[in-house]
């Protein structure tokens, strides 16, 4: 199903433009399919070092985001997504760069299998990227918000920081919680993508891929 969602995203790759590419196993399947349409892709921006390496190995030119002023489309996966296209991301730890690249893109295309669609976010522990010296402070602040924070063991982000995974949250207002967590001193960003959610969700199930927008099924 991940492969079906990844292949469906090829239709969204614009010609002659810079493509934003996320991280994770679903995106890796998307990258593996890119050589078939390489002539359409001017270059790409990667949301992680791992993705940059895969893109380069697939023969796609990788640009620094600072060299890019227009990006029509960003393709990425999600750990959880609602029907309103708010997401939890960062299971792979690339949430900060994912959020930055997504902020530049005009359209966010999320690719996922149907197990990722949830009525309420929070079953998947919410990743929070934290400056190492702020670990204890941020942990206490997350606990005040009702979370059980757990340090992701032996993990350092591409930015040199740690991840606290916030368990036991029931996220009824994702945009509000995203802002609240992002305002804690020492938080780089949290893995809630609600203020800038996806624009299109390509959700793969046994019957095929369903295209969803923020207002429901598109086709
Ligand atoms: C990485 C991410 C991924 O998009 C998310 O974890 C989904 O991964 P997968 O496609 O492997 O299920 O946010 O930081």
């Amino acid at each position: 199903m991940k492969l079906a969602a990844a292949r469906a995203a090829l239709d969204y790759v614009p010609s002659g433009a810079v493509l934003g590419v996320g991280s994770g196993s679903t995106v890796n399947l998307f990258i593996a399919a890119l050589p078939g349409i390489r002539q359409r892709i001017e270059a790409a921006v990667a949301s992680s070092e791992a993705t940059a390496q895969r893109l380069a190995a697939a023969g796609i030119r990788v640009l620094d985001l600072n060299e890019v002023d227009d990006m029509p489309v960003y393709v990425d996966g999600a750990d959880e997504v609602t029907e309103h296209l708010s997401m939890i991301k960062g299971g792979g730890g690339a949430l900060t760069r994912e959020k930055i690249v997504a902020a530049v893109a005009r359209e966010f295309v999320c690719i996922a299998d149907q197990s990722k669609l949830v009525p309420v976010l929070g079953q998947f522990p919410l990743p929070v990227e934290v400056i190492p010296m702020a670990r204890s402070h941020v942990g206490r602040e997350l606990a005040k918000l009702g979370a059980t924070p757990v340090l992701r063991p032996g993990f350092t982000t591409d930015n040199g920081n740690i991840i606290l995974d916030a368990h036991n949250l029931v996220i009824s207002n994702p945009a509000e919680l995203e802002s609240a967590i992002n305002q804690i001193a020492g938080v780089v960003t949290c893995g809630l993508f609600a203020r800038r959610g996806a624009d299109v969700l390509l959700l793969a199930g046994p019957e095929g891929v369903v295209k969803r927008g923020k207002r429901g099924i598109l086709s």
Side-chain angles (χ1 to χ4, degrees), residues 94-162:
L95 59 156
T96 298
R97 294 190 186 194
E98 290 172 345
K99 205 172 268 195
I100 294 168
V101 182
V104 173
R106 279 186 270 138
E107 185 173 43
F108 188 136
V109 177
C110 178
I111 50 176
D113 66 83
Q114 66 177 23
S115 71
K116 306 290 183 70
L117 185 66
V118 297
V120 181
L121 298 174
Q123 189 82 18
F124 190 93
L126 175 65
V128 182
E129 181 164 351
V130 176
I131 304 283
M133 72 171 286
R135 184 189 70 225
S136 299
H137 168 67
V138 173
R140 285 189 294 269
E141 294 299 309
L142 289 172
K144 284 182 198 166
L145 293 170
T148 307
V150 176
L151 176 67
R152 196 175 292 187
F155 188 84
T156 304
T157 70
D158 284 349
N159 313 307
N161 298 312
I162 58 166

Side-chain angles (χ1 to χ4, degrees), residues 2 23-27 76-79 89-95 98 116:
K2 287 185 175 189
S23 303
S25 59
T26 317
V27 164
D76 201 354
D79 298 301
K89 294 183 44 54
L95 59 156
E98 290 172 345
K116 306 290 183 70

